[in-house]
């Protein structure tokens, strides 16, 4: 079965989420038949770089032919680039322009970019290069000076959420409201990541209740996070230690646990300041638990220090060889006073 992010990948500019100004410029170039020979699309993973490149290639060739797509991560040697340059000098057989999309172009070596330079300085008339990268600072200035660069932004959470809602409706998923809200916040502005998480959750069950989604996505239990936090606040170090023991005995990654617990406590701090569930990742299902933990308005000072201590734990265990003991000691210290 094809992955959902491929099934629902946009094929027209109108279907692309966000990137409005970029799409407006590209559509104008198409209308005036004034497109460039070299483009550079920069942005975070999953924000639409390759998708926009494919749509632009299709629009340039009026739906004829297909672009040549090359993964630079596995084709980054000088000989690979020389072969690409040789192909670039040949006319396309099935469309007017030969479009070459080079993904992850920042992985090309400096020697490879040198092999590209002459071709980009004087590109063949009927060849168009489209470079895509998540790391533009690694691209030599001699190259960036010769391309038209577009910086794509991360996709707003509300737009990701609406796209996920559309997919759930098309796929006949159920009970998805809280799930898509949670996933859209979890994806950090990446549409592909969000759809991949939705795909993974739906493989477990098409009933996308928040409980099912939290189970399959492999995140640590919010119930456990609340239990640990309440125990630290109440000074019950035995409960805290038993939870750490359980996590360890189940073979879970303790560094990952601390990273996710840091996100959780940061959400509690945000809520103590703004009193707004939309600004945090914790699902609304746990609203009563949040209210109980956060308590009165003075809690924001407490949770500010709480977040600092968890961040300290994260930094301390970065190169630690006995992570479990370090976490336990520092949690016990927190139980005896932040």
């Amino acid at each position: 079965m094809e992955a959902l992010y491929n099934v629902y990948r946009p094929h027209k500019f109108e279907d692309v989420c966000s990137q409005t100004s970029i799409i407006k410029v590209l559509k104008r170039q198409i209308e005036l038949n004034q497109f460039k020979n070299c483009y550079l699309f920069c942005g975070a993973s999953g924000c639409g770089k390759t998708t926009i490149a494919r749509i632009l290639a299709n629009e340039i060739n009026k739906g004829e032919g297909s672009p040549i797509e090359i993964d630079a991560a596995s084709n980054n040697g000088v000989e690979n680039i020389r072969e690409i340059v040789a192909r670039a000098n040949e006319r396309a057989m099935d469309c007017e322009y030969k479009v070459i999309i080079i993904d992850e172009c920042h992985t090309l070596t400096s020697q490879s970019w040198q092999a590209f330079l002459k071709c980009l300085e004087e590109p063949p008339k009927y060849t168009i290069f489209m470079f895509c990268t998540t790391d533009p600072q690694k691209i030599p200035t001699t190259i960036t000076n010769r391309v038209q660069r577009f910086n794509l932004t991360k996709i707003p959470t509300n737009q990701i959420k609406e796209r996920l809602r559309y997919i759930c409706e098309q796929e006949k998923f159920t009970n998805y409201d809280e799930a898509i809200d949670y996933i859209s916040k979890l994806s950090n502005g990446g549409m592909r990541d969000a759809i991949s998480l939705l795909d993974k959750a739906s493989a477990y069950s098409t009933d996308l209740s928040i409980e099912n989604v939290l189970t399959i996505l492999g995140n640590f239990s919010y119930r456990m996070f609340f239990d640990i936090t309440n125990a630290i606040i109440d000074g019950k170090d035995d409960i805290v230690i038993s939870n750490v023991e359980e996590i360890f005995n189940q073979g879970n990654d303790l560094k990952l646990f601390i990273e996710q617990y840091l996100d959780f406590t940061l959400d509690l701090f945000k809520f103590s300041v703004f009193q707004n569930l939309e600004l945090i990742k914790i699902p609304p299902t746990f609203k009563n638990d949040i209210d109980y933990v956060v308590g009165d308005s003075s809690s924001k000072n407490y949770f500010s220090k709480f977040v600092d201590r968890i961040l300290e734990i994260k930094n301390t265990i970065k190169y630690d060889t006995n992570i479990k003991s370090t976490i336990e000691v520092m949690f016990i210290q927190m139980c005896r006073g932040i």
Side-chain angles (χ1 to χ4, degrees), residues 85-136:
V85 170
R87 294 173 70 182
N89 285 292
E90 301 170 355
R91 283 292 300 269
M93 301 297 292
D94 54 357
C95 53
E96 185 175 3
Y97 290 90
K98 176 175 286 185
V99 180
I100 301 175
I101 299 174
I102 301 179
D103 210 359
E104 303 299 332
C105 67
H106 59 273
T107 60
L108 293 175
T109 63
S110 58
Q111 293 83 0
S112 297
W113 282 120
Q114 285 299 318
F116 241 136
L117 189 57
K118 183 64 176 177
C119 186
L120 297 183
E121 284 178 336
E122 300 174 6
K125 184 177 180 181
Y126 292 99
T127 298
I128 296 173
F129 289 102
M130 298 183 187
F131 299 99
C132 301
T133 179
T134 56
D135 206 355

Side-chain angles (χ1 to χ4, degrees), residues 7 24 27 87-88 92 98 132 138 163 173 191 236 239 245 269 282 287 299-300 322:
V7 174
K24 185 175 181 179
K27 289 175 74 173
R87 294 173 70 182
K98 176 175 286 185
C132 301
K138 291 184 178 179
R163 186 63 175 171
F173 297 153
M191 182 66 78
K236 297 179 179 179
I239 295 177
E245 284 285 346
F269 172 67
I282 304 173
K287 176 64 165 59
S299 62
K300 62 184 178 182
N322 193 0

